[in-house]
């Protein structure tokens, strides 16, 4: 008979009972809360999502050591920034609206910036922020290619600032628990993984200047959707202790391009890890003309399987099957609920790292973003998808 566990953030009676059972010493003086002051670069949809979650009370997710304050928003016009503040930041008059990104970078009341511009603008935006000595959380994919990322990491080191790719999925409670089970040994070694993220974008109805279709904006399935299937391969295979930090031994990919603009419409790629003790393979796909399917991720181990429900960028449940002699002996489904949409967990990680003087996150470090971009570069090379001249600022 399957078991089902429910994880609920917040001060529920169950949570309080666990705290009491763990003998928390409430007589100890509380540590002062660290508040990270954010500047927002761009006012698009993804920035909307991030800011809405920043405003969620951290205590609803049992976070009491860090908090967040939006202090500046930059857009192409002051009016656009003001409209963003009114609609997504509760009209907070203390937030400064700027008609340029430079204003945010120069604002002394900004500690860290969130960059939510299109992929191909990330390098320039992030570099400007770094030179202004702002800590950076940059949307995925972090750059157009690995060379740009290496340049940014060198700049971040030179200027002494924290830098992280905003792969929000990696910081969600579900991902943390999948990793814990994966590395506990209860299922044995991981052997094979399949993951897909797709969306029927109705490409023929979009203008060719849309970010999904425009190659000057890094359009196509790989750079827009590809980070999400890959995050699960990095979490379950690259991060597994048996891999010992080894890069993939082989990457192979194939693309089908849309005749509308030549960006990749359908991309599949295989990532193999066989350099160290681990011998495992991930088969990953992303498509712009079909919908996703259930489950979104399947991770197969020597003694069991983990299936993760779609949408794989913010799943709310996963199921573990335990096997003996190829037969299921036990099944557990674990569900997760929390206030907000899951963007705030990465912000908490940034705040803690900045507070502690870290240059990168231990959960999603620079090495993982480099693995990601090296894989994408190779898949694009094999698929003969070249961005227009001048789009890639470092090659």
């Amino acid at each position: 008979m399957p078991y089902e566990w429910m994880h609920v953030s917040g001060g529920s009676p169950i949570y309080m009972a666990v705290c009491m059972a763990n003998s928390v010493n409430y007589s100890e003086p509380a540590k002062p809360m660290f508040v990270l002051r954010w500047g927002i670069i761009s006012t698009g949809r993804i920035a909307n999502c991030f800011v809405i979650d920043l405003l969620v009370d951290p205590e609803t997710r049992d976070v009491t050591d860090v908090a967040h304050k939006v202090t500046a928003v930059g857009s192409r016009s002051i009016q656009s920034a003001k409209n963003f503040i009114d609609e997504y930041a509760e009209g907070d008059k203390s937030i400064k609206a700027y008609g340029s990104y430079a204003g945010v970078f120069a604002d002394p009341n900004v500690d860290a910036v969130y960059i939510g511009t299109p992929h191909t603008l990330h390098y320039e935006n992030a570099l400007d922020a770094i030179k202004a000595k702002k800590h950076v959380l940059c949307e995925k994919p972090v750059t157009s290619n690995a060379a740009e990322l290496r340049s940014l990491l060198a700049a971040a080191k030179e200027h002494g600032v924290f830098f992280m790719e905003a792969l929000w999925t990696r910081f969600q409670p579900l991902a943390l628990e999948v990793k814990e089970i994966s590395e506990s040994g209860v299922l044995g070694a991981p052997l094979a993984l399949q993951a897909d993220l797709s969306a029927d974008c109705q490409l023929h109805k979009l203008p060719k200047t849309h970010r999904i279709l425009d190659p000057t904006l890094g359009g196509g399935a790989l750079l827009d959707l590809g980070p999400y299937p890959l995050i699960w391969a990095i979490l379950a295979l690259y991060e597994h202790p048996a891999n010992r930090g080894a890069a993939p031994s082989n990457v192979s990919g194939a693309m089908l391009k849309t005749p509308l603009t030549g960006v990749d419409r359908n991309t599949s790629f295989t990532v193999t890890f066989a350099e160290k003790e681990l011998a495992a393979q991930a088969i990953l796909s992303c498509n712009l003309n079909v919908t996703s399917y259930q489950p979104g991720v399947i991770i197969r181990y020597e003694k069991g399987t983990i299936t993760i429900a779609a949408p794989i960028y913010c799943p709310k449940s996963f199921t573990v099957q335990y096997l003996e002699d190829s037969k299921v002996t036990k099944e557990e489904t674990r569900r997760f609920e929390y206030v907000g949409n899951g963007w705030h967990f990465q912000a908490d990680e940034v705040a803690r790292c900045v507070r502690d003087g870290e240059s990168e996150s231990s959960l999603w470090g620079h090495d993982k973003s480099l693995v990601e971009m090296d894989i994408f570069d190779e898949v694009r090379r094999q698929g003969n998808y070249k961005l227009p001249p001048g789009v890639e600022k470092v090659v």
Side-chain angles (χ1 to χ4, degrees), residues 6 8 10-26 62:
M6 177 73 80
V8 182
S12 66
I14 294 176
Y15 172 74
M16 295 304 295
V18 170
C19 287
M20 294 176 68
N22 289 338
S23 300
V24 175
N25 186 351
Y26 292 104
D62 303 325

mmCIF file of all heavy atoms in Angstrom, residues 6 8 10-26 62:
data_model
loop_
_atom_site.group_PDB
_atom_site.id
_atom_site.type_symbol
_atom_site.label_atom_id
_atom_site.label_comp_id
_atom_site.label_asym_id
_atom_site.label_seq_id
_atom_site.Cartn_x
_atom_site.Cartn_y
_atom_site.Cartn_z
ATOM 1 N N MET A 6 3.006 14.663 3.499
ATOM 2 C CA MET A 6 2.688 16.045 3.134
ATOM 3 C C MET A 6 3.647 16.978 3.855
ATOM 4 O O MET A 6 3.847 16.858 5.067
ATOM 5 C CB MET A 6 1.248 16.393 3.532
ATOM 6 C CG MET A 6 0.860 17.839 3.246
ATOM 7 S SD MET A 6 0.621 18.169 1.482
ATOM 8 C CE MET A 6 -1.031 17.514 1.268
ATOM 9 N N VAL A 8 4.253 20.899 4.665
ATOM 10 C CA VAL A 8 3.567 22.188 4.657
ATOM 11 C C VAL A 8 4.433 23.204 5.377
ATOM 12 O O VAL A 8 4.794 23.009 6.546
ATOM 13 C CB VAL A 8 2.195 22.106 5.348
ATOM 14 C CG1 VAL A 8 1.485 23.454 5.270
ATOM 15 C CG2 VAL A 8 1.334 21.026 4.707
ATOM 16 N N GLY A 10 5.249 26.683 7.289
ATOM 17 C CA GLY A 10 4.493 27.570 8.174
ATOM 18 C C GLY A 10 4.434 27.014 9.577
ATOM 19 O O GLY A 10 4.805 25.878 9.857
ATOM 20 N N GLY A 11 3.939 27.822 10.504
ATOM 21 C CA GLY A 11 3.922 27.442 11.906
ATOM 22 C C GLY A 11 2.741 26.582 12.275
ATOM 23 O O GLY A 11 1.925 26.964 13.118
ATOM 24 N N SER A 12 2.619 25.435 11.657
ATOM 25 C CA SER A 12 1.515 24.534 11.941
ATOM 26 C C SER A 12 1.750 23.839 13.277
ATOM 27 O O SER A 12 2.869 23.766 13.774
ATOM 28 C CB SER A 12 1.401 23.481 10.839
ATOM 29 O OG SER A 12 2.534 22.644 10.866
ATOM 30 N N PRO A 13 0.708 23.266 13.884
ATOM 31 C CA PRO A 13 0.904 22.509 15.122
ATOM 32 C C PRO A 13 1.913 21.386 14.959
ATOM 33 O O PRO A 13 2.686 21.105 15.872
ATOM 34 C CB PRO A 13 -0.503 21.981 15.427
ATOM 35 C CG PRO A 13 -1.425 22.956 14.757
ATOM 36 C CD PRO A 13 -0.704 23.386 13.518
ATOM 37 N N ILE A 14 1.906 20.721 13.793
ATOM 38 C CA ILE A 14 2.860 19.634 13.573
ATOM 39 C C ILE A 14 4.278 20.186 13.598
ATOM 40 O O ILE A 14 5.178 19.640 14.227
ATOM 41 C CB ILE A 14 2.584 18.921 12.232
ATOM 42 C CG1 ILE A 14 1.237 18.205 12.291
ATOM 43 C CG2 ILE A 14 3.708 17.960 11.894
ATOM 44 C CD1 ILE A 14 0.839 17.565 10.984
ATOM 45 N N TYR A 15 4.474 21.317 12.913
ATOM 46 C CA TYR A 15 5.805 21.920 12.866
ATOM 47 C C TYR A 15 6.258 22.315 14.260
ATOM 48 O O TYR A 15 7.392 22.064 14.662
ATOM 49 C CB TYR A 15 5.791 23.143 11.949
ATOM 50 C CG TYR A 15 7.080 23.939 11.991
ATOM 51 C CD1 TYR A 15 8.231 23.448 11.365
ATOM 52 C CD2 TYR A 15 7.143 25.150 12.664
ATOM 53 C CE1 TYR A 15 9.412 24.154 11.412
ATOM 54 C CE2 TYR A 15 8.318 25.861 12.713
ATOM 55 C CZ TYR A 15 9.454 25.370 12.075
ATOM 56 O OH TYR A 15 10.619 26.072 12.126
ATOM 57 N N MET A 16 5.375 22.921 15.045
ATOM 58 C CA MET A 16 5.722 23.346 16.392
ATOM 59 C C MET A 16 6.054 22.142 17.271
ATOM 60 O O MET A 16 6.958 22.191 18.097
ATOM 61 C CB MET A 16 4.594 24.155 17.005
ATOM 62 C CG MET A 16 4.327 25.474 16.289
ATOM 63 S SD MET A 16 5.807 26.523 16.193
ATOM 64 C CE MET A 16 6.067 26.865 17.930
ATOM 65 N N ALA A 17 5.323 21.063 17.078
ATOM 66 C CA ALA A 17 5.595 19.864 17.863
ATOM 67 C C ALA A 17 6.979 19.321 17.553
ATOM 68 O O ALA A 17 7.708 18.874 18.443
ATOM 69 C CB ALA A 17 4.531 18.803 17.580
ATOM 70 N N VAL A 18 7.358 19.365 16.259
ATOM 71 C CA VAL A 18 8.687 18.904 15.877
ATOM 72 C C VAL A 18 9.750 19.778 16.530
ATOM 73 O O VAL A 18 10.765 19.303 17.028
ATOM 74 C CB VAL A 18 8.836 18.910 14.336
ATOM 75 C CG1 VAL A 18 10.283 18.676 13.947
ATOM 76 C CG2 VAL A 18 7.940 17.855 13.722
ATOM 77 N N CYS A 19 9.519 21.104 16.528
ATOM 78 C CA CYS A 19 10.460 22.016 17.164
ATOM 79 C C CYS A 19 10.638 21.667 18.637
ATOM 80 O O CYS A 19 11.757 21.625 19.153
ATOM 81 C CB CYS A 19 9.980 23.467 17.034
ATOM 82 S SG CYS A 19 10.134 24.140 15.376
ATOM 83 N N MET A 20 9.518 21.408 19.324
ATOM 84 C CA MET A 20 9.589 21.086 20.749
ATOM 85 C C MET A 20 10.293 19.757 20.963
ATOM 86 O O MET A 20 11.084 19.597 21.887
ATOM 87 C CB MET A 20 8.185 21.065 21.339
ATOM 88 C CG MET A 20 7.498 22.433 21.338
ATOM 89 S SD MET A 20 5.796 22.352 21.927
ATOM 90 C CE MET A 20 6.076 21.950 23.643
ATOM 91 N N ALA A 21 10.017 18.802 20.060
ATOM 92 C CA ALA A 21 10.646 17.487 20.201
ATOM 93 C C ALA A 21 12.154 17.568 20.019
ATOM 94 O O ALA A 21 12.918 16.796 20.590
ATOM 95 C CB ALA A 21 10.054 16.504 19.189
ATOM 96 N N ASN A 22 12.598 18.546 19.209
ATOM 97 C CA ASN A 22 14.022 18.719 18.973
ATOM 98 C C ASN A 22 14.685 19.578 20.047
ATOM 99 O O ASN A 22 15.848 19.969 19.917
ATOM 100 C CB ASN A 22 14.264 19.342 17.593
ATOM 101 C CG ASN A 22 13.966 18.359 16.483
ATOM 102 O OD1 ASN A 22 13.987 17.167 16.702
ATOM 103 N ND2 ASN A 22 13.692 18.875 15.291
ATOM 104 N N SER A 23 13.930 19.916 21.104
ATOM 105 C CA SER A 23 14.459 20.643 22.252
ATOM 106 C C SER A 23 15.083 21.967 21.854
ATOM 107 O O SER A 23 16.222 22.281 22.211
ATOM 108 C CB SER A 23 15.496 19.782 22.991
ATOM 109 O OG SER A 23 14.910 18.576 23.442
ATOM 110 N N VAL A 24 14.380 22.754 21.056
ATOM 111 C CA VAL A 24 14.864 24.071 20.704
ATOM 112 C C VAL A 24 14.922 24.931 21.952
ATOM 113 O O VAL A 24 13.973 24.976 22.735
ATOM 114 C CB VAL A 24 13.936 24.728 19.645
ATOM 115 C CG1 VAL A 24 14.387 26.148 19.371
ATOM 116 C CG2 VAL A 24 13.948 23.908 18.377
ATOM 117 N N ASN A 25 16.035 25.630 22.164
ATOM 118 C CA ASN A 25 16.201 26.478 23.345
ATOM 119 C C ASN A 25 15.691 27.870 23.023
ATOM 120 O O ASN A 25 16.392 28.681 22.426
ATOM 121 C CB ASN A 25 17.682 26.522 23.752
ATOM 122 C CG ASN A 25 17.885 27.272 25.056
ATOM 123 O OD1 ASN A 25 16.959 27.904 25.573
ATOM 124 N ND2 ASN A 25 19.098 27.196 25.584
ATOM 125 N N TYR A 26 14.445 28.145 23.381
ATOM 126 C CA TYR A 26 13.847 29.434 23.049
ATOM 127 C C TYR A 26 14.378 30.559 23.946
ATOM 128 O O TYR A 26 14.073 31.725 23.721
ATOM 129 C CB TYR A 26 12.326 29.346 23.176
ATOM 130 C CG TYR A 26 11.719 28.448 22.132
ATOM 131 C CD1 TYR A 26 11.271 27.167 22.455
ATOM 132 C CD2 TYR A 26 11.620 28.855 20.813
ATOM 133 C CE1 TYR A 26 10.737 26.333 21.492
ATOM 134 C CE2 TYR A 26 11.083 28.033 19.838
ATOM 135 C CZ TYR A 26 10.638 26.768 20.179
ATOM 136 O OH TYR A 26 10.117 25.940 19.220
ATOM 137 N N ASP A 62 8.998 29.278 7.147
ATOM 138 C CA ASP A 62 9.852 28.959 8.292
ATOM 139 C C ASP A 62 11.249 29.564 8.175
ATOM 140 O O ASP A 62 12.234 28.996 8.648
ATOM 141 C CB ASP A 62 9.966 27.445 8.496
ATOM 142 C CG ASP A 62 8.607 26.784 8.671
ATOM 143 O OD1 ASP A 62 7.726 27.411 9.278
ATOM 144 O OD2 ASP A 62 8.435 25.649 8.187
#
